Amino acid sequence: MNPVRLRSSLVLLLIALASTCSLSQPDDSTQKLSRDIFKQLIEINTTDSVGNVTAAAEAMAARLHAAGFPATDIQIIGPNDRKKNLVARLHGAGKKKPVLLIGHLDVVEAKRSDWTTNPFQFVEQNGYFYGRGTQDMKGADAILVTTMIRFKKEDYQPGRDIILALTADEEGGKSNGVDWLVKNHRDLVDAEFVLNPDGGGVQLENGKPVMMEMDATEKLYSDYQLKATNPGGHSSLPVLDNAIYHIADALAKLERYRFPFELNDVTRAYFAQMSKTETGQKAADMKAISSTPPDEQAIARLSDDPLDNSLMHTTCVATRLDGGHANNALPQTARANVNCRILPGHSIEETRQTLLKIVDDSKVTVSSVGSDGEVQSESSPRKSFPPPPLLPQVMNPLERVTHEMWPGMPVVPAMATGASDGVYTSPAGMPTFGISGLAIDVNDVRAHGKDERLPVKSFYDGVEFYYKFLKAVASE
Ligand SMILES: [Zn+2]
């Protein structure tokens, strides 16, 4: 899930007015259905350590089957017994290629002793649903399953097939379900485009909805190891050639370096939209960075904001450090981990080459660290995909339904600075959009954290949003 944030006072004002209108919420039986599914998902532990994704996939398959989906349209498949994925299909008129919905069933670990409530028990309290996965992303999974069931029960025939894939190992683990499905069962998940409610969503500020963020692209995650080695020796006889100093120097150079400024179609649209809701210098700077050539001072000022900075640059930052083996010995080894978030269009290896140039020290090696922790001298040529065009068959329904449910609230295309399962579907030629109707307050982002929770109202609004939005998409 992409860390939420917002700004704007002007929009707030507009929205304060808009939010006094009550949203249409689903009827009682739909509310009960969605809540039951949500509860069931929260109470099936799907952590990598002791959980079981297959159990959650099977529970959802049973619900779809009971609602009238034939067994031939429901698959439970995966590389091993604990990490099976659900793929279900609602047949359409076949006018266009299908739309694929993806949602991960796995959740981040949660310790009972850290939490106020049991993280694997669904608790409703003071207007919130509590439990591991309420924000990331079992609330959205429950909404997708509810929507499929509603469509089936009302005999709705979409213009195109709607495929639902609920999958394993987005948060970690070795059996990423989206990757596995794309590689092994492309026929089952092949689609014109993908909707992923793990990204985007309605941003609240102090309870007021401010914008509908839509993630249209994302940065690429990569780790590197900087390492210096040395014969060492007695610390009473220091020499200049010291492994720790080499690493310290390298990191000081990294600290001063800024990767080149770069906008893409999505971030350009984002800053253009935000410049309308910002005021003063900030608004002017957001406009000035899009001029040719871009205004260097505007870039510098915006770069002081961590999010704006991250949207304009590849970032690399030191995150771990270790070295030496005794207080009274010269260090034989020193190491640092550097974590990079790479802009679309650039590769992991290209970024390693840049780090080598920044460090500029033959005593310091720069290696790639894989997701399994393995250190390799060369990196993968993998690139984050350039942003897909903002498809009208996605954007038009999104604008329409957003304005219907939250009058006056802008839809803002954005680049996620984190990562999602879109890294598997986008490179496979299926443009992927992070779209969610769930509203979370900017000060209440608890994904991966303690006492994760989702406002009850937000959940039911989200149920209604996806029903309307998906119907609009599938009817186009
Ligand atoms: Zn997630």
Side-chain angles (χ1 to χ4, degrees):
M1 170 174 285
N2 189 29
V4 223
R5 73 71 87 114
L6 23 109
R7 49 235 314 212
S8 103
S9 33
L10 212 139
V11 165
L12 259 180
L13 229 129
L14 279 172
I15 300 316
L17 294 171
S19 64
T20 53
C21 317
S22 66
L23 298 179
S24 57
Q25 289 219 324
D27 60 48
D28 288 352
S29 69
T30 304
Q31 287 201 13
K32 181 175 182 324
L33 173 69
S34 59
R35 189 188 191 280
D36 286 351
I37 296 172
F38 196 4
K39 177 178 194 299
Q40 186 177 25
L41 283 174
I42 294 292
E43 296 186 350
I44 299 172
N45 185 330
T46 52
T47 56
D48 186 41
S49 59
V50 297
N52 191 330
V53 169
T54 305
E58 281 171 347
M60 295 303 105
R63 284 187 175 272
L64 293 172
H65 194 55
F69 282 82
T72 45
D73 289 337
I74 307 172
Q75 320 284 328
I76 300 282
I77 39 176
N80 63 65
D81 284 349
R82 273 179 67 218
K83 301 292 174 78
K84 289 196 178 163
N85 311 286
L86 163 74
V87 183
R89 181 179 295 251
L90 180 70
H91 291 277
K95 288 185 219 151
K96 289 174 184 152
K97 272 186 84 175
V99 49
L100 170 64
L101 314 170
I102 56 174
H104 64 82
L105 288 168
D106 61 312
V107 291
V108 170
E109 307 292 331
K111 278 196 203 143
R112 176 66 188 95
S113 53
D114 291 343
W115 279 52
T116 310
T117 57
N118 180 345
F120 300 101
Q121 202 187 325
F122 188 71
V123 176
E124 183 175 347
Q125 219 170 56
N126 304 326
Y128 290 91
F129 292 126
Y130 285 84
R132 170 57 87 226
T134 44
Q135 285 192 6
D136 187 10
M137 62 170 290
K138 285 178 167 172
D141 293 336
I143 287 171
L144 294 179
V145 173
T146 302
T147 306
M148 293 292 271
I149 290 175
R150 287 173 85 184
F151 285 177
K152 191 73 184 180
K153 286 205 163 151
E154 64 189 46
D155 250 331
Y156 167 62
Q157 197 196 28
R160 55 171 96 218
D161 288 9
I162 301 174
I163 307 166
L164 170 66
L166 297 178
T167 61
D169 282 4
E170 191 272 345
E171 302 289 3
K174 295 189 170 130
S175 310
N176 183 281
V178 176
D179 187 26
W180 188 85
L181 286 168
V182 168
K183 282 188 182 133
N184 296 285
H185 292 275
R186 177 69 190 247
D187 54 317
L188 282 180
V189 293
D190 198 40
E192 185 186 340
F193 55 88
V194 181
L195 304 175
N196 179 10
D198 200 19
V202 176
Q203 299 191 354
L204 299 177
E205 197 168 80
N206 302 318
K208 300 266 183 280
V210 175
M211 68 162 98
M212 168 64 83
E213 184 184 309
M214 183 262 211
D215 289 345
T217 186
E218 61 187 52
K219 292 179 102 176
L220 181 63
Y221 178 109
S222 188
D223 282 309
Y224 302 88
Q225 185 189 77
L226 271 48
K227 186 177 174 187
T229 50
N230 189 278
H234 200 287
S235 64
S236 66
L237 299 170
V239 293
L240 281 177
D241 183 17
N242 176 305
I244 289 177
Y245 292 158
H246 282 289
I247 291 299
D249 277 345
L251 293 179
K253 288 177 190 163
L254 178 66
E255 183 192 0
R256 290 190 294 272
Y257 182 81
R258 182 169 279 160
F259 278 77
F261 163 82
E262 192 177 305
L263 294 182
N264 54 50
D265 290 349
V266 173
T267 49
R268 192 170 284 115
Y270 171 84
F271 282 116
Q273 179 66 49
M274 295 306 297
S275 73
K276 293 182 201 156
T277 63
E278 286 292 343
T279 52
Q281 186 74 57
K282 191 100 169 174
D285 287 346
M286 286 179 161
K287 287 194 185 93
I289 59 169
S290 283
S291 59
T292 2
D295 182 329
E296 291 297 331
Q297 286 181 333
I299 295 170
R301 277 189 298 268
L302 286 179
S303 298
D304 288 339
D305 178 291
L307 177 65
D308 292 331
N309 178 55
S310 178
L311 293 174
M312 298 184 296
H313 304 100
T314 289
T315 61
C316 290
V317 62
T319 53
R320 300 180 83 166
L321 189 60
D322 75 280
H325 57 282
N327 287 351
N328 56 3
L330 298 174
Q332 287 175 251
T333 314
R335 267 185 298 253
N337 187 79
V338 171
N339 179 249
C340 297
R341 306 297 177 130
I342 303 169
L343 284 177
H346 299 278
S347 74
I348 296 179
E349 175 61 14
E350 177 190 338
T351 306
R352 191 182 74 87
Q353 294 293 339
T354 307
L355 287 174
L356 274 169
K357 281 193 201 113
I358 298 167
V359 168
D360 189 27
D361 181 346
S362 60
K363 291 279 172 75
V364 177
T365 60
V366 178
S367 312
S368 203
V369 182
S371 51
D372 52 2
E374 208 177 303
V375 178
Q376 283 159 341
S377 56
E378 259 191 49
S379 311
S380 139
R382 201 151 69 87
K383 279 182 191 175
S384 174
F385 247 62
L390 299 176
L391 302 176
Q393 57 270 47
V394 175
M395 293 308 289
N396 294 344
L398 179 61
E399 299 260 355
R400 201 160 67 233
V401 177
T402 300
H403 294 155
E404 183 189 324
M405 288 187 66
W406 294 275
M409 186 170 75
V411 172
V412 181
M415 177 173 70
T417 54
S420 80
D421 274 336
V423 294
Y424 303 108
T425 45
S426 292
M430 299 187 275
T432 303
F433 303 96
I435 297 178
S436 161
L438 292 175
I440 294 173
D441 203 283
V442 66
N443 299 312
D444 202 39
V445 177
R446 299 189 182 195
H448 300 197
K450 160 192 161 150
D451 294 343
E452 188 178 344
R453 66 182 187 178
L454 184 70
V456 172
K457 179 181 185 308
S458 162
F459 178 66
Y460 293 130
D461 286 347
V463 169
E464 206 49 22
F465 170 84
Y466 240 88
Y467 174 82
K468 289 181 172 170
F469 168 63
L470 193 57
K471 210 169 226 187
V473 167
S475 303
E476 288 260 316

